[in-house]
Amino acid sequence: MSDQLLTIEATRLDAGQVRLRLAGELDYDTAPDLVAAAADLRGDEQVLIDLTGVTLCDSSGLSALLVVHRAAGAIRLTGVGRHLQRMLDRTGLTELLAVEYAADDLRAIG
């Protein structure tokens, strides 16, 4: 097993847009990594966070998403799995954090 529990790949999509692709566990130990990666972005960029590769997200991970949302002004989430979708729904964050669904996402969530 790798010592790295979360990988974050930043990609500039076009002028003013950046995608953070996460893979691994977004939890107490790794949430600060997401906050630090987002802090390195320019403040005028639209932030898309791809969570397709996230295998676990706990309350610390949700908190990190909120911190990034506040710092960036707004974020969009893609690749939200069933467990994370339930957490977002139960905490009322689905409406605050823009979640985009692909057809595969909708089938996975059920």
Side-chain angles (χ1 to χ4, degrees):
M1 182 172 143
S2 171
D3 289 334
Q4 197 169 21
L5 299 176
L6 181 72
T7 59
I8 302 169
E9 175 187 316
T11 305
R12 302 237 184 279
L13 301 176
D14 58 29
Q17 272 194 324
V18 64
R19 176 182 57 219
L20 297 178
R21 181 174 287 151
L22 281 56
E25 299 177 357
L26 182 56
D27 60 9
Y28 177 81
D29 292 324
T30 61
D33 297 339
L34 174 58
V35 173
D40 290 340
L41 303 176
R42 294 189 314 255
D44 61 340
E45 294 177 307
Q46 294 179 355
V47 179
L48 171 68
I49 299 179
D50 182 352
L51 300 165
T52 305
V54 172
T55 56
L56 176 133
C57 181
D58 67 6
S59 60
S60 297
L62 285 181
S63 179
L65 291 172
L66 283 172
V67 169
V68 173
H69 170 75
R70 286 186 195 122
I75 60 173
R76 296 182 340 223
L77 304 178
T78 63
V80 175
R82 182 178 301 200
H83 174 72
L84 181 54
Q85 183 62 56
R86 273 190 246 132
M87 288 178 62
L88 292 170
D89 290 343
R90 288 181 179 159
T91 58
L93 294 175
T94 301
E95 292 158 21
L96 178 65
L97 304 175
V99 180
E100 295 181 1
Y101 301 101
D104 290 343
D105 294 335
L106 292 174
R107 281 193 290 276
I109 292 169

